[in-house]
Every structure is written in structure tokens, then in C-alpha cells.
Amino acid sequence: MLYFEDFTPGRRFDYAPVQMQAADMIAFAGEFDPQPMHLDEEAGRKSILGGLAASGWHTSAIGMRMMIDAFLGHSSSQGSPGIDFMDWRKPVLTGDVLSGFSLVLESRPSKSKPGLGIVKFRNEICNQSNEAVAVSECSIMFRRREGRRP
């Protein structure tokens, strides 16, 4: 179990690779982002994206799953107060293999909740060519070991 004290600046958590499948991309888009370039290969080819492209929201959801698998799923996470920014930098196309990492930028004890600490992360999702397709920064609240104060 990872606690606040385990998230020291510079610590990196690598993501396991995920291959993007057309059926999954279309299913996600059909429910949450039904734009033509996310639903149809031909429409995607005719768009500026160059092929059937995952919704940015789908890419972000995949990134969340990667974070869960890499560290959040075995941590004392208490949720996030928000995302500072999220950039979708390149299209994610059918067959792309995504991987990436979360990097601890800073950590500090909570002033208002002594049993918690706040950790700021930079999250990058890259394709098989190691090109960043999505970048975000967010903070996550974690319990401190035994809820102690500094």
C-alpha cells in the first residue's frame, strides 16, 4: 500500500502498454463522444486526424486506467481536487500502442486535513513511436501513514 510519504518528488510510475482497438474506440465514442471521426474509419480518413481516431476523452479514460494499474489501485488515494490541465497532442489511431508514466512533481501535507497529503503529478501518454499523445497535470490526495501529522 502506497501512502503520501511514498510519493517523493521525482518518483516515476510507468504504465503497462495498451493497444487501441477499433471496436473499443467506436463503442466509447458511440456512448460519450459520437463525432464522425470517432465512429467511422472513412470519416476519420477524411478528417484532419487521418483515420479512425479515439476520442480525447477515451484516451484520458485509458490513462486513468493506466494510473490505477500502475499505482493508484494499491494506494491510499482519497481522490483528486481537480486537473490543472489536459492536452491532447496527437491523434490516437486504431492499432496504436499507448504507454506512459506519472511523475511526482511535488508533495505537501494538507493544511486543512492533517491526515492527508497532496501530491502533484505530470502524466504522459505516449504512442508506440514515443510521441506524447496526451499530457496532463493533476493533484491527488493520499492518506498519511496512520493518519499522523508531520
Side-chain angles (χ1 to χ4, degrees):
M1 178 69 76
L2 296 168
Y3 290 88
F4 166 73
E5 293 82 2
D6 298 310
F7 295 97
T8 53
R11 185 164 184 188
R12 179 178 157 141
F13 297 90
D14 291 319
Y15 304 157
V18 173
Q19 185 169 27
M20 299 301 286
Q21 304 292 327
D24 296 335
M25 293 161 56
I26 292 167
F28 184 96
E31 184 154 355
F32 300 107
D33 191 358
Q35 297 183 70
M37 68 287 241
H38 302 318
L39 294 169
D40 179 75
E41 179 69 41
E42 183 61 26
R45 272 196 300 277
K46 290 179 181 176
S47 78
I48 64 169
L49 301 177
L52 180 67
S55 164
W57 298 112
H58 189 188
T59 302
S60 296
I62 294 287
M64 185 69 212
R65 179 76 236 187
M66 291 172 151
M67 288 174 68
I68 294 290
D69 293 343
F71 67 94
L72 274 178
H74 53 276
S75 76
S76 62
S77 171
Q78 299 298 295
S80 174
I83 296 173
D84 296 326
F85 73 87
M86 181 183 308
D87 289 340
W88 299 316
R89 296 194 173 173
K90 293 187 75 65
V92 172
L93 304 174
T94 301
D96 279 355
V97 177
L98 304 182
S99 60
F101 62 90
S102 290
L103 178 68
V104 176
L105 298 178
E106 59 188 58
S107 60
R108 64 176 174 80
S110 172
K111 293 176 185 167
S112 61
K113 294 177 177 57
L116 297 179
I118 301 169
V119 180
K120 185 173 183 175
F121 292 90
R122 178 177 179 87
N123 310 296
E124 293 192 18
I125 302 171
C126 300
N127 63 19
Q128 64 279 356
S129 300
N130 204 34
E131 301 167 311
V133 299
V135 177
S136 65
E137 287 186 7
C138 67
S139 295
I140 300 174
M141 299 175 289
F142 294 93
R143 283 196 174 131
R144 300 191 63 153
R145 281 198 172 78
E146 301 173 27
R148 66 176 184 226
R149 290 177 175 241

